[in-house]
Short mmCIF file of all heavy atoms in Angstrom, two decimals:
data_model
loop_
_atom_site.label_atom_id
_atom_site.label_comp_id
_atom_site.label_asym_id
_atom_site.label_seq_id
_atom_site.Cartn_x
_atom_site.Cartn_y
_atom_site.Cartn_z
N ALA A 54 22.66 15.98 6.65
CA ALA A 54 23.92 15.40 6.18
C ALA A 54 23.90 13.90 6.44
O ALA A 54 23.38 13.44 7.46
CB ALA A 54 25.11 16.03 6.91
N GLU A 112 -7.70 2.86 -15.08
CA GLU A 112 -8.08 4.23 -15.45
C GLU A 112 -9.32 4.26 -16.34
O GLU A 112 -9.79 5.32 -16.73
CB GLU A 112 -6.92 4.94 -16.15
CG GLU A 112 -5.69 5.13 -15.27
CD GLU A 112 -5.92 6.05 -14.07
OE1 GLU A 112 -6.90 6.81 -14.08
OE2 GLU A 112 -5.11 5.99 -13.13
N ILE A 123 -8.60 -4.30 -23.37
CA ILE A 123 -8.28 -5.73 -23.30
C ILE A 123 -8.00 -6.28 -24.69
O ILE A 123 -7.04 -7.03 -24.90
CB ILE A 123 -9.44 -6.50 -22.63
CG1 ILE A 123 -9.62 -6.07 -21.18
CG2 ILE A 123 -9.19 -8.01 -22.70
CD1 ILE A 123 -10.91 -6.56 -20.53
N VAL A 136 -4.87 -14.29 -21.51
CA VAL A 136 -4.90 -12.82 -21.49
C VAL A 136 -5.33 -12.42 -20.08
O VAL A 136 -6.44 -12.74 -19.64
CB VAL A 136 -5.87 -12.26 -22.55
CG1 VAL A 136 -5.92 -10.74 -22.45
CG2 VAL A 136 -5.42 -12.70 -23.95
N TRP A 141 -10.51 -3.62 -12.96
CA TRP A 141 -11.85 -3.16 -13.30
C TRP A 141 -12.63 -2.72 -12.07
O TRP A 141 -12.37 -3.18 -10.95
CB TRP A 141 -12.63 -4.22 -14.11
CG TRP A 141 -12.78 -5.59 -13.49
CD1 TRP A 141 -11.94 -6.65 -13.68
CD2 TRP A 141 -13.83 -6.04 -12.62
NE1 TRP A 141 -12.41 -7.74 -12.98
CE2 TRP A 141 -13.57 -7.40 -12.32
CE3 TRP A 141 -14.97 -5.44 -12.08
CZ2 TRP A 141 -14.38 -8.16 -11.49
CZ3 TRP A 141 -15.80 -6.20 -11.25
CH2 TRP A 141 -15.50 -7.54 -10.97
N GLN A 155 -19.32 -10.37 -22.06
CA GLN A 155 -18.63 -9.09 -22.23
C GLN A 155 -17.13 -9.29 -22.43
O GLN A 155 -16.48 -8.52 -23.14
CB GLN A 155 -18.88 -8.20 -21.01
CG GLN A 155 -20.32 -7.70 -20.92
CD GLN A 155 -20.68 -7.27 -19.51
OE1 GLN A 155 -20.00 -7.59 -18.54
NE2 GLN A 155 -21.78 -6.53 -19.39
N SER A 161 -11.85 -14.12 -27.47
CA SER A 161 -12.60 -15.37 -27.58
C SER A 161 -11.71 -16.55 -27.94
O SER A 161 -12.11 -17.70 -27.82
CB SER A 161 -13.72 -15.22 -28.61
OG SER A 161 -13.16 -14.83 -29.85
N ALA A 208 -22.98 -20.21 -14.78
CA ALA A 208 -22.05 -19.20 -14.25
C ALA A 208 -22.02 -18.00 -15.20
O ALA A 208 -21.94 -18.17 -16.42
CB ALA A 208 -20.66 -19.79 -14.11
N VAL A 220 -10.46 -20.28 -10.97
CA VAL A 220 -9.81 -19.91 -12.23
C VAL A 220 -8.34 -19.58 -12.00
O VAL A 220 -7.46 -20.01 -12.74
CB VAL A 220 -10.54 -18.72 -12.89
CG1 VAL A 220 -9.76 -18.22 -14.10
CG2 VAL A 220 -11.95 -19.14 -13.32
N SER A 257 -4.53 -12.79 -0.66
CA SER A 257 -5.48 -13.89 -0.59
C SER A 257 -5.49 -14.66 -1.91
O SER A 257 -5.97 -15.77 -1.98
CB SER A 257 -6.88 -13.37 -0.30
OG SER A 257 -7.28 -12.48 -1.31
N ARG A 282 12.95 -1.09 1.41
CA ARG A 282 13.00 -1.95 2.60
C ARG A 282 11.67 -2.69 2.73
O ARG A 282 10.61 -2.09 2.57
CB ARG A 282 13.25 -1.11 3.85
CG ARG A 282 14.53 -0.29 3.78
CD ARG A 282 14.77 0.47 5.08
NE ARG A 282 15.83 1.46 4.90
CZ ARG A 282 17.13 1.16 4.95
NH1 ARG A 282 17.51 -0.07 5.18
NH2 ARG A 282 18.03 2.10 4.77
N THR A 317 5.29 -10.79 11.04
CA THR A 317 3.87 -10.48 11.02
C THR A 317 3.07 -11.57 10.35
O THR A 317 3.53 -12.20 9.40
CB THR A 317 3.65 -9.16 10.25
OG1 THR A 317 4.45 -8.16 10.85
CG2 THR A 317 2.21 -8.74 10.27
N TYR A 321 -7.57 -12.37 6.71
CA TYR A 321 -8.69 -11.63 6.11
C TYR A 321 -9.95 -11.94 6.90
O TYR A 321 -10.47 -13.05 6.81
CB TYR A 321 -8.89 -12.06 4.65
CG TYR A 321 -7.90 -11.47 3.68
CD1 TYR A 321 -6.65 -12.05 3.50
CD2 TYR A 321 -8.22 -10.33 2.95
CE1 TYR A 321 -5.73 -11.51 2.61
CE2 TYR A 321 -7.32 -9.78 2.05
CZ TYR A 321 -6.08 -10.38 1.88
OH TYR A 321 -5.17 -9.86 0.99
N PRO A 349 -15.95 -15.96 14.76
CA PRO A 349 -15.26 -15.08 15.74
C PRO A 349 -14.36 -15.85 16.71
O PRO A 349 -13.26 -15.41 17.00
CB PRO A 349 -16.42 -14.40 16.47
CG PRO A 349 -17.56 -14.43 15.49
CD PRO A 349 -17.40 -15.68 14.67
N ALA A 408 -19.12 3.11 18.42
CA ALA A 408 -18.65 2.55 19.69
C ALA A 408 -17.22 2.04 19.60
O ALA A 408 -16.54 1.88 20.62
CB ALA A 408 -19.57 1.40 20.11
N ALA A 414 -7.29 3.28 20.39
CA ALA A 414 -6.33 3.83 21.35
C ALA A 414 -6.26 2.96 22.60
O ALA A 414 -5.17 2.67 23.11
CB ALA A 414 -6.73 5.27 21.71
N LEU A 433 -16.93 4.80 -5.98
CA LEU A 433 -17.18 4.95 -4.55
C LEU A 433 -18.58 5.51 -4.31
O LEU A 433 -19.33 4.99 -3.49
CB LEU A 433 -16.13 5.87 -3.93
CG LEU A 433 -16.24 5.93 -2.40
CD1 LEU A 433 -15.48 4.78 -1.77
CD2 LEU A 433 -15.71 7.24 -1.86
N GLY A 478 -2.55 9.57 -2.83
CA GLY A 478 -3.07 9.28 -1.49
C GLY A 478 -3.05 10.52 -0.60
O GLY A 478 -4.02 10.81 0.10
N ALA A 482 -6.19 12.35 1.12
CA ALA A 482 -6.20 12.43 2.59
C ALA A 482 -6.51 13.85 3.07
O ALA A 482 -7.23 14.03 4.04
CB ALA A 482 -4.85 11.98 3.15
N GLU A 489 -10.19 15.57 -10.11
CA GLU A 489 -10.92 16.61 -10.84
C GLU A 489 -11.55 17.62 -9.89
O GLU A 489 -12.23 18.55 -10.33
CB GLU A 489 -12.01 15.98 -11.72
CG GLU A 489 -11.49 15.07 -12.83
CD GLU A 489 -11.00 13.70 -12.34
OE1 GLU A 489 -11.49 13.22 -11.28
OE2 GLU A 489 -10.11 13.12 -12.98
#
Side-chain angles (χ1 to χ4, degrees):
E112 296 296 342
I123 296 168
V136 178
W141 56 268
Q155 290 159 345
S161 57
V220 172
S257 59
R282 303 183 192 279
T317 304
Y321 282 83
L433 187 85
E489 296 75 28

